[in-house]
Every structure is written in structure tokens, then in C-alpha cells.
Amino acid sequence: MNMLNAACQCTVQFSFNPCGCDSGKGFLRHTGAMSTPYSPTVRLRRLARELRKMREISGLSPEAAAARLGWSRSKVSRIETGRTRASPADVAAVCDLYGTGSSVRAGLIQLAKEVRHRGWWTAYADVFTGSYIGLEDEARRIHQWEVQLVPGLLQTEDYARTVIKAGRPDVNDHDDIHRRVMARMARRTLLSRQNAPELWAVLDEAVVRRPIGSPEVMRNQLEALLVFARRPNVTIRILPFSTGAHAGLEGAFTILSFAEEADPDVAYVEGTAGDVYVESSQHVDRYKVAFARIWDAALPPEETTRLIAEIKECLSDD
């Protein structure tokens, strides 16, 4: 049984359904043709967890809480799963119902106000349609396993343009392609800002050998990887072909970890049919174990940079 199938079992095990109802122990969210109204950020997830925990401590069911608040049951469920942003007034009403202390009440209302602040990525809402960018932007550590392409955070502009153009149905829509490239370049600044997250990336050897674009494009991309690898917050390893069978054969994934211990890690799997976010600690742990095994099997950083440099030097314009 692979990790993604195991994660899909989580939807059954924890009774998650399209209405946003779950048992509170963890859930799997798919984003495909139907997307949630707002990209869940770390603050939104935290607020949702706290409100759900308060209700459970009070002994009220979602139906009973909804009735006493004068809300629909679906509103309670959407707020408690982070699918809808609770307004400060909503949070105040919930705190009054559950008899929350004044200091906790004030903190939750402030959190509700912060949730409503839009991140830089909302300017590219037509490009970043899922939740990932909002979570990535607040991550403290990013563990990434890639099998096909250089991770988006490490791509050069020309490499990104080649990849994006290859995946678009209309290769002549230059404005759309340019906007997507600019969005990706804006995202890349995450690694150079103050309090930047740590990125631990393992790339399959195929990533650095697959020719994307012209030899010049590929050389520049490999040089960019060497430059990124010199950053104190970036560690890159290559998993060589000689490894043979390994723990990452089922596909690429990313694990996002956050500064606050109260904010649980998230495992992310990107797919053509939709993206998958695994938030149950039990299933996230499976991805952590897999990443650790891939990391240990990969070349050390020094050997990785040597291999990248060798491949770069072998590229010619012929």
C-alpha cells in the first residue's frame, strides 16, 4: 500500500466529506475543480482547531452549537475545518457561547482579524488557486522530494518559462505564460527574505540530467542550484540512479513544518487531477519516515554539488 492510498484511507477513517465534516482527528483535503473560498493559512488552521476544541470541551455537538448560535450546521463545520474564515463577530459569539475567558477571547478575536489579511500571493489568485502557497509562505522548514523537475523555489526564470509553456494548452498565450513565470519568481523570494525557512531538498538524478529548454537554459539552472546550495538555509542532495529501488518511488511530495508547535505539519502531494493535503499526524509521519530514508540514501551535499557541476560542464550548445 503506497502512502497516497494510505492517506486516502484517512478520508474514510476520519469521516471527512465535502461538507467539511470530520471527527477532529485529522482530515485529507482535495483541491481540484472545486476549490475552497479562501486559501487556508497557518492562522486559519490554528483558529479552526481552537474553535473546534472549545466546542468539544463544552460537550456540544455541531448541531447543538449551530442551533444556539443561530447558524446552520454547515457553517459550524466549515469554520471548524478552515474552509470558511470566521469573522471577529463570529468568534466573539462562539466565545460567549462556550464561556471562554477574556484573555483567550481577545486572542482568538485578534487571530480572526489576522486571518483576514491577504498575503502577497492573492495578487496572483488566478495563478495560485490552491492552499499551498499560503502554507509554504509561513513554513519554518520545507522538506521536499522531487522526481521530475527542479523545485519551483529553485527555478530560474527561463527554466520556469520552459516548464510552464510545456504544460499550457495554448503555448501562444504569452501574457498568461509571462504572468505565471512572474508569479513563480515572486514566490522564489521566500528563500532570501528575513527569517527565511530552511529548505531541505532531495532531487532525483533525472532532475539535473533531463534537458529542459536549451543547453544554455539548463546550464544556468544548474548554476543556480549551485548558488542556492551555498545559502545557509538551503541544503540540496541528489539521489543517484545507482541507488536503485528507494523509498521515494511512489512520487514527489513536500512536508511543511511551522514555527509554532501548536501548528501541525502538513504533507503535500501535487497531482494533475488535484492537489492533496495530508494533515493527520499519523499519515504525515509516514511521509516523514519516507523522506528520512530518501535523505539518507542521497549523496551528501559536497558530492551533490560536485555532480551538478560535472553535469553542467558537460552541456554543450551542439
Side-chain angles (χ1 to χ4, degrees):
M1 180 183 298
N2 63 37
M3 287 182 292
L4 186 53
N5 285 338
C8 287
Q9 283 192 337
C10 176
T11 64
V12 177
Q13 181 179 353
F14 297 112
S15 304
F16 177 74
N17 65 40
C19 294
C21 310
D22 71 280
S23 69
K25 295 181 180 178
F27 60 93
L28 178 80
R29 178 166 53 244
H30 289 268
T31 61
M34 296 183 65
S35 59
T36 54
Y38 305 99
S39 296
T41 63
V42 173
R43 293 178 182 83
L44 178 58
R45 294 168 69 228
R46 186 185 306 165
L47 179 62
R49 281 196 313 277
E50 291 302 319
L51 296 180
R52 181 173 59 206
K53 186 187 303 180
M54 286 164 50
R55 176 183 57 74
E56 292 171 345
I57 292 174
S58 75
L60 292 175
S61 66
E63 292 82 4
R68 294 177 66 171
L69 288 165
W71 298 350
S72 66
R73 186 196 187 288
S74 63
K75 178 175 179 178
V76 172
S77 296
R78 290 195 305 271
I79 286 175
E80 290 186 357
T81 55
R83 293 169 63 87
T84 294
R85 295 185 299 180
S87 68
D90 289 337
V91 172
V94 169
C95 288
D96 290 342
L97 174 61
Y98 301 148
T100 308
S102 59
S103 61
V104 174
R105 185 180 191 274
L108 291 175
I109 291 175
Q110 178 59 34
L111 191 58
K113 293 177 180 178
E114 293 174 0
V115 162
R116 305 186 79 80
H117 295 165
R118 294 302 187 96
W120 65 266
W121 57 90
T122 58
Y124 295 99
D126 55 323
V127 177
F128 300 131
T129 56
S131 307
Y132 180 78
I133 299 301
L135 293 172
E136 178 187 74
D137 193 71
E138 297 192 50
R140 185 67 189 89
R141 289 183 305 278
I142 303 171
H143 294 90
Q144 192 162 13
W145 159 237
E146 280 293 346
V147 298
Q148 297 287 349
L149 298 167
V150 170
L153 288 173
L154 304 178
Q155 291 181 8
T156 64
E157 183 174 330
D158 289 337
Y159 183 98
R161 181 175 291 103
T162 303
V163 170
I164 291 169
K165 188 174 182 180
R168 303 305 297 163
D170 183 2
V171 297
N172 294 316
D173 191 346
H174 302 296
D175 290 341
D176 178 66
I177 292 172
H178 178 72
R179 179 165 174 74
R180 291 176 181 277
V181 172
M182 291 302 99
R184 190 162 299 182
M185 294 302 100
R187 173 188 166 201
R188 198 177 72 164
T189 62
L190 173 67
L191 294 176
S192 58
R193 74 184 186 188
Q194 189 176 12
N195 298 321
E198 297 175 1
L199 173 64
W200 296 18
V202 185
L203 315 182
D204 188 88
E205 186 174 343
V207 171
V208 292
R209 291 196 180 276
R210 177 174 292 106
I212 300 294
S214 67
E216 181 182 8
V217 168
M218 199 62 199
R219 276 199 304 272
N220 290 340
Q221 177 60 75
L222 295 178
E223 177 60 30
L225 288 179
L226 295 174
V227 172
F228 273 116
R230 291 197 287 268
R231 290 181 178 270
N233 61 317
V234 177
T235 305
I236 301 172
R237 288 189 173 190
I238 298 294
L239 187 71
F241 291 143
S242 59
T243 301
H246 56 80
L249 290 174
E250 293 163 8
F253 61 86
T254 302
I255 304 169
L256 302 175
S257 302
F258 305 95
E260 295 293 330
E261 202 170 298
D263 297 320
D265 297 348
V266 178
Y268 168 77
V269 183
E270 185 177 6
T272 304
D275 303 338
V276 178
Y277 299 81
V278 182
E279 300 190 58
S280 160
S281 59
Q282 175 186 357
H283 294 95
V284 172
D285 284 347
R286 297 187 183 187
Y287 283 94
K288 289 182 177 179
V289 170
F291 185 84
R293 292 173 61 191
I294 298 167
W295 183 264
D296 289 343
L299 296 175
E302 298 79 11
E303 293 182 35
T304 289
T305 54
R306 187 158 52 246
L307 176 61
I308 293 174
E310 289 173 358
I311 296 172
K312 172 177 171 283
E313 291 306 315
C314 289
L315 288 171
S316 67
D317 292 316
D318 296 337

